[in-house]
């Protein structure tokens, strides 16, 4: 167990020093050995850091959906420890990187275990970007108007009203 754990951590340390984000044999070994460790030693106290390395490596090398699933699982199991904090940051970066603002907003709506201010900022930004990036002007305007009835989105009410007005005009509605 210890040898496998040490191998995974050494591979992680080597990868951390790499400048490029091209998948290589060491990265593939992290994927393989981390999963092997999880299957062989599912209840050790060392599993959580190895799973964090695995999820971070997935995200780093563009396996975003798998990285989100792994990071969310780590976050859900303990949102308040160091790994939970890191997982939250990884999830935030991953969702913002996808630029699927509706999905990001929905994720932020369901976050537990984080400060209200931290989550509220993500909700406000992602909702606004969702409405702003909606191609259909009428749908966009409706999303902006809906924001003005949500007290958690109060900081974006003025901008939302203005943007709803502009999008209705663009759609030929007055």
């Amino acid at each position: 167990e210890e040898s496998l754990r040490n191998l995974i951590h050494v591979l992680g340390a080597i990868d951390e020093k790499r400048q490029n984000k091209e998948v290589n044999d060491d990265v593939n070994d992290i994927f393989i050995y981390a999963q092997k460790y999880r299957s062989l030693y599912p209840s050790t106290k060392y599993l959580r850091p190895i799973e964090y390395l695995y999820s971070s490596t997935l995200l780093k090398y563009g396996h975003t959906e798998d990285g989100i699933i792994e990071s969310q699982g780590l976050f859900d199991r303990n949102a308040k420890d160091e790994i939970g904090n890191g997982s939250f940051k990884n999830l935030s970066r991953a969702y913002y990187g996808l630029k699927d603002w509706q999905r990001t907003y929905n994720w932020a709506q369901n976050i537990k275990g984080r400060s209200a201010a931290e989550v509220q900022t993500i909700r406000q930004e992602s909702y606004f970007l969702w409405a702003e990036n909606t191609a259909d002007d009428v749908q966009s305007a409706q999303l902006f108007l809906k924001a003005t009835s949500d007290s958690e989105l109060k900081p974006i009410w003025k901008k939302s009203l203005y943007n709803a007005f502009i999008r209705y005009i663009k759609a030929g509605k007055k």
Side-chain angles (χ1 to χ4, degrees):
E1 182 269 343
E2 184 178 359
S3 297
L4 182 56
R5 178 169 31 98
N6 288 338
L7 173 63
I8 294 167
H9 287 295
V10 167
L11 290 168
I14 291 169
D15 181 60
E16 201 172 288
K17 294 179 183 182
R18 289 193 196 280
Q19 298 299 319
N20 64 25
K21 291 186 179 179
E22 293 178 21
V23 175
N24 55 62
D25 290 340
D26 292 338
V27 172
N28 286 328
D29 286 346
I30 291 172
F31 295 155
I32 292 165
Y33 293 130
Q35 290 174 331
K36 185 70 149 172
Y37 188 91
R38 184 187 328 202
S39 68
L40 292 173
Y41 310 105
S43 58
T44 70
K45 66 181 181 180
Y46 304 109
L47 180 59
R48 191 162 167 80
I50 289 172
E51 287 179 321
Y52 181 73
L53 171 64
Y54 177 63
S55 67
S56 298
T57 305
L58 285 168
L59 292 169
K60 179 178 178 180
Y61 289 97
H63 301 276
T64 306
E65 294 302 328
D66 291 333
I68 286 173
I69 291 167
E70 293 291 330
S71 295
Q72 189 67 54
L74 286 166
F75 178 78
D76 290 343
R77 285 193 293 281
N78 187 349
K80 302 211 184 271
D81 71 356
E82 184 179 343
I83 290 173
N85 287 330
S87 295
F88 177 77
K89 289 175 186 170
N90 284 346
L91 286 163
S92 297
R93 279 192 294 268
Y95 278 109
Y96 273 73
L98 290 173
K99 298 187 185 323
D100 181 343
W101 304 116
Q102 180 178 4
R103 184 174 172 198
T104 304
Y105 175 76
N106 291 337
W107 168 72
Q109 285 291 91
N110 295 309
I111 293 174
K112 308 277 187 277
R114 298 306 293 187
S115 74
E118 198 172 25
V119 173
Q120 193 149 353
T121 299
I122 295 170
R123 285 183 189 136
Q124 291 165 6
E125 289 175 351
S126 59
Y127 190 91
F128 192 86
L129 288 166
W130 170 22
E132 186 175 83
N133 288 290
T134 298
D136 181 272
D137 289 320
V138 172
Q139 286 179 332
S140 174
Q142 290 170 344
L143 283 169
F144 279 123
L145 284 177
K146 186 177 175 188
T148 63
S149 64
D150 185 336
S151 62
E152 290 185 2
L153 299 175
K154 189 172 185 172
I156 64 168
W157 281 1
K158 286 181 185 178
K159 287 182 183 178
S160 293
L161 279 173
Y162 174 78
N163 284 346
F165 176 74
I166 296 299
R167 293 301 285 264
Y168 273 132
I169 288 175
K170 281 178 73 178
K173 310 270 185 198
K174 293 186 182 187

